[in-house]
Amino acid sequence: MTTPTASEEPGGDKAVGPGGGGGGRGRPSGRQAEAAAPGDSGVGVVTTAVPARLDRLPWSRWHWMIVIGLGTVWILDGLEVTTVGNIASRLSEEGSGLAITSAQVTGMAAALYVAGACAGALFFGWLTDRYGRKKLFMVTLAVYLAATAMTALSFSAWWFFLFRFLTGFGIGGEYAAINSAIDELIPSKYRGRVDLIINGSYWLGAVGGALLSIVMLNTDYFPKDLGWRLTFALGVVLGLVILLVRRHVPESPRWQFIHGHGEEADRLVGSVEREIEEEKHEKLPPPAGEITIHERKSIGFGLIAKTVFHSYPKRAVLGLSLFIGQAFLYNAITFGFGSILTTFFDVESGHTGYYFAVIAAGNFVGPLVLGKLFDTIGRRVMIAATYIVPGILLFITAWLFDRGSLTANTLTACWCVVLFFASAGASSAYLTVSEVFPMETRAMAIAFFYAIGTAVGGISGPLIFADLTASGVPGDTALAFCIGAGLMCAAGVVAAFLAVNAEQRSLEDIARPLSQTEDAVGSASR
């Protein structure tokens, strides 16, 4: 087996070989040699055109099935986080059925949810690279469903905290399994915009959670100790529907051919090609080329860590910067948005959902409008812009808030504009770490950068921000805004120098698979 040895180019790009030589449309993608490479734990050497065949597919009904089956989990995550933020005030009220304070909900419970997501990302990320995308994105959703159902049955603070952690554990696993599967199944021409829009769909869930909380917290409809429980129960129902749809999403052919299932990958891609040709009523063009790889049953964690940090140090710095910036902004600020409204603007707890629905809608529109530009203008310019611009706007918002110049409505409007740009930037963090590292490390890389970045900003952020908000001093909350703004701007500057020009390029061209042979690179370059 070989590892990348070329030096990194300016801006974090890696000098790697192209995806291979020629190859025809009907050519078998899994031509296997008789013996495995010496010292390799795999089962043989295989030459495949699967990556090129997937990348040259036109957009089709099959791709829509992938988007719906995998992308809808972000709606669940948005529903979860927003629901808890909006019911914080209700849970702390007498008669809610829980002896808990609002600060504990937005601070301790939020931090435990994020801690669970970090742990789940690392644990399930490792399993995803080892056992496949499909198995794990079914398991992680099941964990989420069970934990959410138990949260609805909370009878004390410790029970609520425990199952918030386990809910995050399942969601964290989803991030690793889903993002890796999406990037490996979506054609390179559309990968940027699709990844951003799918990650941005989190905010559709946020809109739903905000509006749902308005109804569920209305004591004319439900008692104080029942409405918030039904909110979690509805999340379980939505998750079960997604589980039914997800059964039809296939395993990643890219994962299959590396892990000794080349024939299955060939059959899967062949069936998709025939389906798309029937849908489009035309023959597909020949694939651009092939790669030759050593099949392997598993990749050691030590090799993964060495590859990410030794072979791609600039990309590692980029990934950490993007995740820390966006994690602190979102986990520290949006978790406490409801508390800000009730503390500083006397908004009733049952009405905070209206305000949050507005900023959530702005968040979703951002990736929807800006996503295509990541595939056309390019990654470097767009990532830097969607971090620096919202950072500057957030500094302005903090200044206005500290002066007392904002109302509940104007603060919401400011946030809507800030997060229009920031949501595209946050989604680009997941896109970046899922496409700039080798195939064998993808899920684990996503898990690692998500866990580290979120641990720094997502665990400490809510704890710090809960105290700053609870003080009732505008300057304290403005300080939290400024910290988030500073980290976003800093991450944008890092992206301006280190972002990889990955737009419309094959994943194997951006980062050569660890299992790819040197001979394949040499023959391709001749």
Side-chain angles (χ1 to χ4, degrees):
M1 191 186 72
T2 61
T3 57
T5 57
S7 61
E8 293 188 9
E9 299 172 341
D13 245 337
K14 188 79 172 178
V16 296
R25 154 72 177 85
R27 193 171 186 173
S29 67
R31 302 196 311 279
Q32 189 162 320
E34 294 182 358
D40 200 306
S41 62
V43 295
V45 178
V46 62
T47 297
T48 178
V50 162
R53 292 167 68 187
L54 288 170
D55 280 337
R56 62 73 149 99
L57 295 176
W59 193 260
S60 66
R61 289 191 297 266
W62 185 77
H63 294 107
W64 278 117
M65 182 266 292
I66 300 297
V67 169
I68 295 172
L70 298 182
T72 42
V73 71
W74 274 213
I75 297 176
L76 285 179
D77 192 15
L79 185 70
E80 278 289 323
V81 175
T82 307
T83 295
V84 174
N86 283 319
I87 68 174
S89 298
R90 175 53 49 83
L91 287 175
S92 63
E93 293 176 3
E94 186 177 353
S96 69
L98 281 181
I100 194 170
T101 66
S102 179
Q104 285 179 315
V105 178
T106 58
M108 179 62 72
L112 286 172
Y113 176 86
V114 175
C118 294
L122 291 171
F123 177 70
F124 288 119
W126 175 71
L127 293 178
T128 296
D129 277 334
R130 188 177 182 88
Y131 296 109
R133 284 48 168 142
K134 183 177 178 64
K135 290 179 182 178
L136 270 298
F137 63 58
M138 297 296 285
V139 170
T140 52
L141 183 55
V143 171
Y144 160 82
L145 290 172
T148 301
M150 292 297 100
T151 303
L153 301 177
S154 296
F155 57 87
S156 67
W158 72 263
W159 181 280
F160 183 81
F161 292 151
L162 171 64
F163 285 102
R164 288 308 295 161
F165 175 86
L166 292 176
T167 301
F169 193 73
I171 286 293
E174 288 277 290
Y175 280 116
I178 300 306
N179 273 299
S180 55
I182 288 170
D183 281 0
E184 291 164 13
L185 291 169
I186 298 299
S188 58
K189 180 180 179 180
Y190 307 100
R191 188 174 62 242
R193 73 197 74 176
V194 170
D195 197 296
L196 259 69
I197 292 172
I198 286 178
N199 279 282
S201 67
Y202 168 100
W203 294 102
L204 287 179
V207 172
L211 297 177
L212 185 63
S213 67
I214 295 171
V215 177
M216 293 302 179
L217 296 182
N218 191 327
T219 54
D220 291 337
Y221 301 133
F222 303 102
K224 285 185 177 181
D225 62 345
L226 179 62
W228 64 268
R229 298 181 190 274
L230 292 178
T231 304
F232 285 111
L234 288 174
V236 176
V237 173
L238 178 59
L240 288 172
V241 173
I242 295 173
L243 188 64
L244 294 175
V245 176
R246 188 174 287 183
R247 292 181 307 152
H248 303 290
V249 177
E251 180 57 84
S252 164
R254 282 179 158 102
W255 182 90
Q256 287 177 321
F257 74 71
I258 282 182
H259 290 79
H261 305 286
E263 292 183 358
E264 295 176 23
D266 187 41
R267 286 195 297 270
L268 171 58
V269 177
S271 67
V272 173
E273 289 171 332
R274 289 189 293 272
E275 178 183 326
I276 292 177
E277 286 181 338
E278 291 178 3
E279 177 186 340
K280 303 297 183 181
H281 304 292
E282 60 183 21
K283 288 289 184 180
L284 293 170
E290 299 175 330
I291 61 172
T292 299
I293 57 98
H294 292 300
E295 293 180 319
R296 295 182 63 86
K297 291 297 183 183
S298 64
I299 304 293
F301 183 78
L303 179 59
I304 292 174
K306 179 181 178 182
T307 300
V308 171
F309 294 102
H310 178 72
S311 301
Y312 297 94
K314 292 181 181 178
R315 298 183 185 190
V317 171
L318 173 67
L320 286 173
S321 300
L322 296 182
F323 267 97
I324 290 173
Q326 66 87 26
F328 197 96
L329 177 72
Y330 277 97
N331 290 298
I333 306 300
T334 58
F335 264 127
F337 185 74
S339 297
I340 293 174
L341 294 176
T342 56
T343 301
F344 294 100
F345 302 107
D346 297 323
V347 176
E348 295 181 16
S349 61
H351 293 167
T352 59
Y354 291 112
Y355 297 90
F356 204 95
V358 174
I359 67 168
N363 269 280
F364 177 66
V365 173
L368 192 65
V369 173
L370 301 176
K372 185 177 181 179
L373 300 180
F374 283 78
D375 285 324
T376 54
I377 293 177
R379 303 287 199 265
R380 187 191 304 273
V381 172
M382 290 306 299
I383 294 174
T386 52
Y387 271 78
I388 294 174
V389 170
I392 293 172
L393 293 175
L394 184 54
F395 274 123
I396 296 173
T397 301
W399 177 69
L400 293 173
F401 183 85
D402 188 37
R403 287 183 41 148
S405 301
L406 298 176
T407 65
N409 291 335
T410 54
L411 175 64
T412 301
C414 288
W415 266 104
C416 198
V417 176
V418 168
L419 297 178
F420 171 86
F421 295 100
S423 60
S427 295
S428 72
Y430 295 93
L431 169 66
T432 297
V433 299
S434 66
E435 68 180 1
V436 301
F437 297 105
M439 158 74 202
E440 298 89 339
T441 71
R442 183 161 295 121
M444 197 62 208
I446 296 169
F448 175 81
F449 288 105
Y450 169 79
I452 298 300
T454 304
V456 173
I459 297 177
S460 60
L463 293 173
I464 295 171
F465 193 69
D467 291 336
L468 292 175
T469 303
S471 73
V473 179
D476 290 343
T477 300
L479 174 61
F481 290 174
C482 290
I483 293 172
L487 289 172
M488 284 291 283
C489 288
V493 172
V494 171
F497 288 97
L498 300 184
V500 179
N501 297 316
E503 56 273 9
Q504 302 193 33
R505 293 171 61 190
S506 168
L507 293 172
E508 291 71 25
D509 183 42
I510 299 168
R512 182 166 61 85
L514 301 180
S515 303
Q516 185 171 333
T517 65
E518 294 288 356
D519 289 343
V521 177
S523 63
S525 62
R526 282 196 289 271

